[in-house]
Amino acid sequence: SEGGGKLRIVSMVKVENVQALSNFQSSGTFESEPLQAHRRHCDTLLFHGCKQESVANIQATGLLLERAADGMLGAGLYGAPDPRKSFNYCGRSEDKFMFICRFLLDASAKHAGPSTQHRNTVFDEFCVYNERHVAVLWMLKVKDS
């Protein structure tokens, strides 16, 4: 398909970081559709892809701005509703990892996707600029089918 092939989950581990979870600033409202969550400034679930060498740090501390790359929407913490978008950030190693995270998409969150002026023509992605707006929940090891 236009967005890439199917992904297969090899393994899945619940991330239990009590400190990071207690720091999460929830809106108190959850929306399963990320575009609606962005419009309503509430929480949703997004995928975050990373290189293998970042996995242990993310499990231990969550997503931190000090380690954030300067992407299309600036230096922030990125997530996408479609794991195929996040898979693009998993690097070249044989083992590919991504995280399922709860994101608070408040008024400061930015969006890039097919309905925006950004170069994302297939997938939506969102960026937040506050570490307290992301809680890492699950780690996935995935393969491209």
Side-chain angles (χ1 to χ4, degrees):
S1 74
E2 185 180 2
K6 290 182 180 182
L7 299 178
R8 183 172 54 88
I9 296 172
V10 175
S11 63
M12 187 169 178
V13 175
K14 183 177 181 184
V15 177
E16 295 190 27
N17 185 325
V18 175
Q19 183 65 42
L21 282 174
S22 67
N23 287 339
F24 181 65
Q25 276 183 334
S26 175
S27 67
T29 307
F30 181 84
E31 174 61 58
S32 61
E33 169 52 47
L35 285 171
Q36 286 289 11
H38 187 246
R39 286 184 199 106
R40 294 181 52 217
H41 306 297
C42 60
D43 302 358
T44 195
L45 296 177
L46 298 173
F47 293 92
H48 175 83
C50 66
K51 294 180 179 174
Q52 184 175 359
E53 52 269 18
S54 301
V55 170
N57 284 335
I58 293 171
Q59 283 181 295
T61 62
L63 296 177
L64 299 177
L65 284 168
E66 68 187 42
R67 294 191 184 113
D70 191 12
M72 178 185 342
L73 299 171
L77 306 172
Y78 286 77
D82 192 311
R84 295 174 300 169
K85 175 67 177 174
S86 297
F87 190 77
N88 293 324
Y89 298 99
C90 292
R92 297 184 185 271
S93 66
E94 186 175 325
D95 292 330
K96 311 278 187 191
F97 295 91
M98 65 179 69
F99 292 88
I100 298 174
C101 306
R102 186 165 177 149
F103 275 72
L104 166 56
L105 299 180
D106 72 353
S108 67
K110 291 186 182 172
H111 166 235
S115 64
T116 69
Q117 77 279 9
H118 298 283
R119 65 181 181 263
N120 283 6
T121 58
V122 177
F123 297 118
D124 289 300
E125 70 180 312
F126 299 88
C127 185
V128 298
Y129 306 92
N130 183 335
E131 328 179 314
R132 296 183 60 154
H133 292 183
V134 182
V136 176
L137 304 175
W138 293 92
M139 181 188 73
L140 307 175
K141 183 176 179 182
V142 295
K143 286 202 181 280
D144 195 0
S145 295

